[in-house]
Amino acid sequence: MKPIIAACGNDCSVCPRMLPKTAAELTATAELWYKFGYRDQVVSNDEISCRGCTPDTWCRHEIVTCTASRKIKNCGECGDYPCNKILAAFENTKRHQPDCQKCCTEAEFAILEKAFFEKQINLEKVRNDKGQR
């Protein structure tokens, strides 16, 4: 499957939250998010499911609003990359990586790594593919 790179560089094509997913898959994802500290409780399937980034979607670093206002798909297409917003997102993501490695199976971590922990790599690839450096 071809990667679907979100505004912040996440790879939606492998994300365990991205729909369509079965109810059981979403429940397992909600439990996993709780297990490694992304949530303080197991949330509902409606809350854990994702339909992709839109300006109406909550984004901790306001990246979705920023990319939408610039009419670009993701930060890798931005002339101001890397800005403070995306650097903060990279740092926030890196902060969770050790906890994920500790409490996830190898298979779970491999999915999370591809979906979330490679966002900077994904955005650099977008930049290189567009001929920006």
Side-chain angles (χ1 to χ4, degrees):
M1 174 182 278
K2 184 180 177 192
I4 301 167
I5 306 303
C8 67
N10 286 345
D11 185 346
C12 300
S13 61
V14 295
C15 178
R17 296 180 57 211
M18 190 68 179
L19 296 177
K21 296 284 190 245
T22 66
E25 289 171 321
L26 289 171
T27 299
T29 299
E31 290 168 353
L32 181 61
W33 259 230
Y34 172 69
K35 185 166 89 172
F36 60 76
Y38 270 8
R39 297 287 196 279
D40 59 0
Q41 63 184 14
V42 176
V43 298
S44 71
N45 285 355
D46 284 341
E47 186 173 331
I48 202 72
S49 67
C50 180
R51 287 174 171 68
C53 298
T54 68
D56 297 329
T57 306
W58 178 80
C59 176
R60 170 178 287 124
H61 301 285
E62 300 176 1
I63 292 170
V64 176
T65 304
C66 184
T67 55
S69 72
R70 293 170 183 255
K71 296 180 176 36
I72 56 177
K73 292 179 185 173
N74 59 55
C75 293
E77 297 177 352
C78 185
D80 292 333
Y81 175 84
C83 70
N84 288 337
K85 288 178 184 177
I86 194 62
L87 291 173
F90 293 158
E91 284 303 310
N92 188 51
T93 301
K94 285 179 193 172
R95 183 172 56 87
H96 289 284
Q97 192 169 0
D99 291 334
C100 290
Q101 280 182 296
K102 280 187 230 174
C103 62
C104 291
T105 66
E106 281 187 39
E108 288 169 336
F109 184 76
I111 291 167
L112 297 175
E113 184 173 42
K114 182 128 179 75
F116 305 112
F117 298 126
E118 294 181 356
K119 60 176 40 116
Q120 188 169 2
I121 293 167
N122 293 336
L123 292 175
E124 293 294 333
K125 184 170 178 4
V126 168
R127 289 189 70 70
N128 290 337
D129 290 350
K130 296 246 179 217
Q132 299 173 324
R133 302 212 186 219

